[in-house]
Amino acid sequence: MDYVLTSHSLCKSYKKFHALSDFSIHIPKGSVYGLIGRNGAGKTTFIRLVCGLQEPTGGVFNLYGEDSGTKGIYSARRRIGAIIESPAIYRNMTAKENLRQQYRALGLPSFDGIDELLELVGLSGTGKKKAGHFSLGMRQRLGIAVALCGNPDFLILDEPMNGLDPQGIIEIRELILKLNREMQVTILISSHILDELSRVATHYGFMDKGTMIKEMSEEELNAVQKKCVRLTVDNITALSVFLEKQNIEYSIVSDTQADVYGEINIAQLITGLFQSGCNVTSMHEKNESLESYFINLVGGEENV
């Protein structure tokens, strides 16, 4: 398999604190790679190392065939566009002025392609409106446009959907899919919004305490996620009591819904619940959520 970015035994320490420890990753060319971990797991630290904002204290990463610490890594980094923590935009400038400023910073010979970039991210109609008056979703899309200046083929997005409303999340999701599927841009996404991440990612890396726990493709994840039936009922307490007595694995989703796992006889389940004073109003089969899989993988219920 052709990889854009790999690392081997990568370490980053701050005195006695080890932000990354023996960290390894493999990001296939053409993938949307979801990097998942709790707060403080080391996701942003790794991204900063790759982008050259910090230096590793041990190990090595390889970007487009160039090892970190060699002269070739500087030219390899020119193929990266990145948003780290927040978009790098000037709020007192228009969208077009922001892109022109980035073109100058990159030393590009002309402003060719700016109008196309604005069209791509849905900001072509903003005219003289300053970025400071943009919505959060518009600023995020402008940040992605800035990251795309210079035509990179590897895009790194650190929490691109953080704080967005549902419409803003949909717009960023559609943009990510368009960049990947139509323009063949490889994308690394670090995100806490796992339900949304599962809609775009083709590969996953699960990390904890600075170490990669597991890497897998979307197909491999689907194969190992537990199957379940989501029930909507009128008495969640009676449902819980009944399932406990039957020793059936389940998880409560809301005050009217629960996921029931394992091989179950639907007819017997519905009949037993009815006799226990619980009516099932709807049901459908589904896979275990990405968040549940991650929690089961690393243990605990801390914030992702």
Side-chain angles (χ1 to χ4, degrees):
M1 185 175 290
D2 190 9
Y3 295 108
V4 167
L5 174 64
T6 62
S7 70
H8 178 67
S9 299
L10 194 63
C11 299
K12 179 62 180 177
S13 300
Y14 303 93
K15 295 184 178 179
K16 294 183 179 181
F17 174 69
H18 302 294
L20 290 177
S21 179
D22 196 28
F23 180 80
S24 298
I25 195 170
H26 305 81
I27 301 179
K29 182 179 180 181
S31 66
V32 178
Y33 190 104
L35 186 60
I36 300 171
R38 296 181 172 116
N39 288 327
K43 303 185 298 296
T44 299
T45 297
F46 171 66
I47 289 172
R48 292 176 69 85
L49 294 182
V50 173
C51 292
L53 300 177
Q54 293 179 332
E55 294 295 328
T57 50
V60 65
F61 66 83
N62 183 286
L63 178 66
Y64 285 109
E66 301 290 345
D67 283 344
S68 56
T70 65
K71 291 183 178 180
I73 198 65
Y74 298 106
S75 60
R77 282 193 176 115
R78 293 175 184 170
R79 302 176 67 176
I80 296 178
I83 295 180
I84 305 175
E85 296 178 331
S86 62
I89 61 176
Y90 297 94
R91 296 196 174 205
N92 62 336
M93 294 184 180
T94 66
K96 182 171 289 189
E97 289 169 344
N98 266 278
L99 297 190
R100 285 179 174 176
Q101 186 68 15
Q102 183 66 5
Y103 267 51
R104 294 187 187 101
L106 294 174
L108 299 177
S110 73
F111 294 137
D112 291 347
I114 284 181
D115 289 339
E116 289 79 2
L117 265 180
L118 291 174
E119 180 70 29
L120 174 66
V121 300
L123 295 176
S124 57
T126 55
K128 296 183 179 180
K129 186 176 183 178
K130 304 295 185 184
H133 298 294
F134 286 3
S135 68
L136 181 58
M138 292 171 68
R139 291 199 299 272
Q140 200 73 355
R141 282 183 280 131
L142 177 56
I144 292 176
V146 170
L148 290 172
C149 291
N151 198 30
D153 45 16
F154 182 32
L155 185 62
I156 299 176
L157 303 176
D158 188 15
E159 300 294 346
M161 301 168 189
N162 223 16
L164 299 184
D165 60 21
Q167 181 60 37
I169 289 176
I170 292 172
E171 291 168 350
I172 295 297
R173 179 211 306 161
E174 292 177 346
L175 178 56
I176 288 170
L177 292 174
K178 185 173 185 178
L179 289 169
N180 178 251
R181 295 174 180 176
E182 298 182 19
M183 303 177 67
Q184 287 75 56
V185 177
T186 303
I187 303 175
L188 168 63
I189 304 175
S190 167
S191 179
H192 289 97
I193 307 177
L194 301 192
D195 180 62
E196 193 59 40
L197 187 61
S198 67
R199 297 171 186 264
V200 297
T202 63
H203 293 75
Y204 297 92
F206 301 92
M207 61 183 301
D208 192 36
K209 298 177 182 178
T211 301
M212 183 66 74
I213 303 299
K214 194 174 189 65
E215 289 186 288
M216 61 203 317
S217 68
E218 179 184 17
E219 293 77 14
E220 291 169 332
L221 177 64
N222 289 337
V224 298
Q225 281 180 313
K226 292 186 294 185
K227 305 296 189 273
C228 70
V229 175
R230 174 157 293 182
L231 301 179
T232 302
V233 299
D234 62 1
N235 190 334
I236 200 72
T237 301
L239 171 74
S240 179
V241 171
F242 175 81
L243 294 178
E244 290 285 352
K245 288 181 178 178
Q246 299 298 317
N247 199 29
I248 297 174
E249 183 182 359
Y250 71 97
S251 61
I252 301 297
V253 177
S254 69
D255 56 358
T256 60
Q257 291 185 319
D259 289 337
V260 181
Y261 300 97
E263 296 293 331
I264 56 176
N265 185 307
I266 298 297
Q268 290 180 1
L269 177 64
I270 293 177
T271 300
L273 288 172
F274 177 76
Q275 293 173 348
S276 300
C278 177
N279 294 304
V280 177
T281 57
S282 70
M283 66 168 54
H284 66 273
E285 291 185 343
K286 62 185 293 291
N287 286 339
E288 176 186 26
S289 71
L290 180 58
E291 182 175 352
S292 295
Y293 178 80
F294 171 74
I295 294 300
N296 290 331
L297 183 66
V298 302
E301 298 183 354
E302 299 176 33
N303 291 333
V304 176

